[in-house]
Amino acid sequence: MKAADMHCDTIYEIYEGRKRGKELCLRHNTLHLDLEKMKKGDYGLQNFAIYVHLKRTEDPFRQAMEMIDTFYEEMEANRDLISPVRSYEDIRENWEEGRMSAMLTMEEGGVCLGDVRLLRDFYRLGVRMMTLTWNFPNELGYSNRTVAEGPGKGCFPDTEHGLTQKGFEFLEEMERLGMIIDISHLNDAGIWDVFGHTRKPFVASHSNARALAGHPRNLTDHMIRCLGERGGVAGINYYRDFLHDWKDEEERKSLTAHMVAHMKHMKNVGGMGCVGLGSDFDGFGGEIELKDGSGLPLLEEEMRRQGFLPSEIEAVFHKNVLRVYREILV
């Protein structure tokens, strides 16, 4: 079953590994994803995120540019297997010719430094999707990672701080350009601002259902319902802490059964059309039943076991995501 995955951090891992002197490449490595694993998993499309940690770099724009260079180095070195895409037609042509597709995305709107001219430059370089935030506030808005100290400490949803005026400006420009807005990592108030100030579908590239796992990175049922009504898609995240509320005595392992439970819930709340894949491969640690990208047939098997029809599996694996891309990408 052809797969279209909306989020991974593999380029970041290759980039950082090379800075430490490791000989990492996309064709074959020890990460969650490489091209050999992707072929075994029957990948048709992978979104490769340019992830920048704002607290660990003095120049986020430069780091993003260096990572984009890493992405294109790997595309050139492996053009027999995979090709970068900027439009839906590029994806269609690659699939017809038997090549995998790679879409460049951005996981941290702060790399634009609040300047829409830099947003347009990233678009010119091939970036076709961007999260407005990661885990820190930036010029555009606030992340959904409010940490409380003392008794009852932990992560809680931020329902107070909406997008900044600059954030609204970026929404307008992203819709005009044909760059997909990604609400993963954005706080609750910011997400509702996106709903209220956009017209086109958008995505939560790697977020699950908060009703099943209470982490604020996940979406409420109201968000899922509204996302489905808008024609958007949420990509199921494979990270264990976004899949299940773990008890102390439980073995913490990412299971396909948990992933499919979130798919079922999203289907029931927002409709079959709002569910996709957003693995977050190479962006998390811990044990995972799928092991890596080659394990996607196990997820397909679990979906069948839990009663998903072949047409529904196809929708989750790629059709829903490609529908949004066909509408937004120009």
Side-chain angles (χ1 to χ4, degrees), residues 5-55:
D5 183 340
M6 286 197 288
H7 188 84
C8 78
D9 288 297
T10 310
I11 294 298
Y12 171 80
E13 288 297 318
I14 292 173
Y15 168 80
E16 286 292 324
R18 288 177 179 176
K19 285 170 58 177
R20 296 191 297 269
K22 295 183 179 180
E23 294 184 4
L24 280 175
C25 67
L26 188 59
R27 185 170 288 257
H28 176 73
N29 58 52
T30 58
L31 303 174
H32 284 142
L33 281 184
D34 62 32
L35 296 181
E36 294 177 6
K37 299 182 186 84
M38 289 167 64
K39 286 190 71 175
K40 291 178 181 177
D42 198 17
Y43 279 70
L45 169 69
Q46 178 64 57
N47 285 10
F48 288 96
I50 302 303
Y51 156 69
V52 176
H53 193 299
L54 294 181
K55 304 295 186 181

Side-chain angles (χ1 to χ4, degrees), residues 11 14-15 18 24-26 66-79 82 84:
I11 294 298
I14 292 173
Y15 168 80
R18 288 177 179 176
L24 280 175
C25 67
L26 188 59
E66 291 174 354
M67 291 178 64
I68 290 174
D69 184 68
T70 299
F71 170 80
Y72 280 114
E73 279 189 326
E74 290 303 313
M75 292 298 103
E76 180 65 23
N78 296 287
R79 59 183 182 274
I82 194 166

Side-chain angles (χ1 to χ4, degrees), residues 192-260:
W192 290 118
D193 278 343
V194 174
F195 275 110
H197 291 81
T198 57
R199 298 172 290 103
K200 299 177 182 179
F202 51 86
V203 304
S205 66
H206 54 305
S207 297
N208 295 339
R210 203 178 296 177
L212 300 188
H215 198 288
R217 271 279 287 105
N218 288 338
L219 305 174
T220 67
D221 282 1
H222 190 193
M223 293 172 186
I224 294 169
R225 188 173 298 109
C226 290
L227 188 67
E229 291 171 353
R230 178 65 69 90
V233 178
I236 296 297
N237 189 314
Y238 303 175
Y239 178 44
R240 64 190 183 189
D241 286 356
F242 300 156
L243 288 169
H244 185 67
D245 289 327
W246 299 95
K247 298 180 175 61
D248 290 341
E249 69 275 10
E250 290 182 303
E251 178 188 7
R252 298 192 174 208
K253 180 179 180 179
S254 172
L255 301 174
T256 56
H258 290 149
M259 299 174 196
V260 177

Side-chain angles (χ1 to χ4, degrees), residues 118-224:
L118 298 187
L119 175 72
R120 288 193 287 267
D121 284 340
F122 283 125
Y123 181 84
R124 294 177 184 115
L125 289 171
V127 175
R128 289 298 182 267
M129 179 186 295
M130 186 176 77
T131 67
L132 299 177
T133 64
W134 186 61
N135 282 352
F136 310 109
N138 62 25
E139 297 87 352
L140 311 181
Y142 299 82
S143 74
N144 226 355
R145 194 172 180 271
T146 302
V147 181
E149 303 295 336
K153 65 181 180 180
C155 293
F156 300 93
D158 177 3
T159 59
E160 298 180 7
H161 303 96
L163 294 181
T164 65
Q165 189 58 44
K166 186 65 68 173
F168 291 124
E169 184 181 345
F170 268 60
L171 289 184
E172 182 177 344
E173 186 65 5
M174 289 175 75
E175 283 206 317
R176 188 191 72 81
L177 288 171
M179 184 185 291
I180 299 165
I181 297 162
D182 184 355
I183 60 172
S184 284
H185 286 285
L186 188 61
N187 69 335
D188 283 15
I191 288 173
W192 290 118
D193 278 343
V194 174
F195 275 110
H197 291 81
T198 57
R199 298 172 290 103
K200 299 177 182 179
F202 51 86
V203 304
S205 66
H206 54 305
S207 297
N208 295 339
R210 203 178 296 177
L212 300 188
H215 198 288
R217 271 279 287 105
N218 288 338
L219 305 174
T220 67
D221 282 1
H222 190 193
M223 293 172 186
I224 294 169

Side-chain angles (χ1 to χ4, degrees), residues 212 236 238 258-268 272 275-277 299 303 308 316-317:
L212 300 188
I236 296 297
Y238 303 175
H258 290 149
M259 299 174 196
V260 177
H262 281 265
M263 292 176 185
K264 278 186 164 182
H265 184 82
M266 288 184 176
K267 169 189 172 183
N268 291 336
M272 193 69 250
V275 191
L277 301 179
L299 182 57
M303 292 179 71
F308 278 86
V316 172
F317 264 60

Side-chain angles (χ1 to χ4, degrees), residues 261-308:
H262 281 265
M263 292 176 185
K264 278 186 164 182
H265 184 82
M266 288 184 176
K267 169 189 172 183
N268 291 336
V269 173
M272 193 69 250
C274 77
V275 191
L277 301 179
S279 67
D280 207 5
F281 269 150
D282 294 314
F284 61 83
E287 191 173 358
I288 177 170
E289 184 181 5
L290 292 180
K291 302 296 183 187
D292 53 44
S294 67
L296 273 185
L298 295 176
L299 182 57
E300 180 182 351
E301 180 181 327
E302 181 66 20
M303 292 179 71
R304 292 184 189 277
R305 192 187 70 79
Q306 292 201 35
F308 278 86

